[in-house]
Structures are given as C-alpha cells and as structure tokens.
Amino acid sequence: VVSRQWLEPLLEQLALAKDHRTLVMPTLDIIPENNFNQYLPANHHIGGFDWTLTFGWKDLIEKRNSSYNYPDPYPTPALS
C-alpha cells in the first residue's frame, strides 16, 4: 500500500543531511497473500531466499543468536 506523499519526507531528510553519505529508503510493508485488504506495517524483518528460490521471512538475529553483536556500519551497494 503506497500512501500519498511518501517520497517527500525521504527526500527532505536526504537534502538536509550534513553528511552526504546519508541514505534514506522506504520500508517494505507486509500485505498477507490471503487477504489483500489487510495491511500490516513492517517492523524490522529479514527476508531471504532458500535454495529453491522461495522467498520467506526469517527470524531476527536476536532470536536466533542471543549473543550476537551488531557490526559497525560499512559501505555496501546492497539495499532492500
């Protein structure tokens, strides 16, 4: 579900950023495949493909590994 004027706040954050390495991107929302009228805002989710190229949502790293420490940010071309 795309609401009106969703792009302007992202562009404003980008234009006003003092550090020109700032990145802004929209959030992927969840629309259940069995009810397109139901809209669920996405929290932090991790999506991925298995070996049969079937997409699925994965558990967050904190649930899979309680001792995990997030790394410091680093340059990457990959976004979602």
Side-chain angles (χ1 to χ4, degrees), residues 21-79:
R21 296 178 296 166
T22 299
L23 172 75
V24 295
M25 62 184 205
T27 303
L28 300 175
D29 294 320
I30 301 169
I31 301 174
E33 62 187 61
N34 59 352
N35 183 357
F36 290 156
N37 294 318
Q38 185 180 7
Y39 170 79
L40 303 169
N43 294 325
H44 292 105
H45 288 83
I46 298 172
F49 292 92
D50 63 15
W51 288 106
T52 64
L53 298 180
T54 302
F55 180 83
W57 294 106
K58 310 297 181 193
D59 284 335
L60 294 178
I61 189 70
E62 296 90 352
K63 289 185 180 179
R64 292 181 282 143
N65 182 351
S66 62
S67 65
Y68 181 78
N69 292 320
Y70 280 95
D72 291 331
Y74 56 92
T76 176
L79 304 173

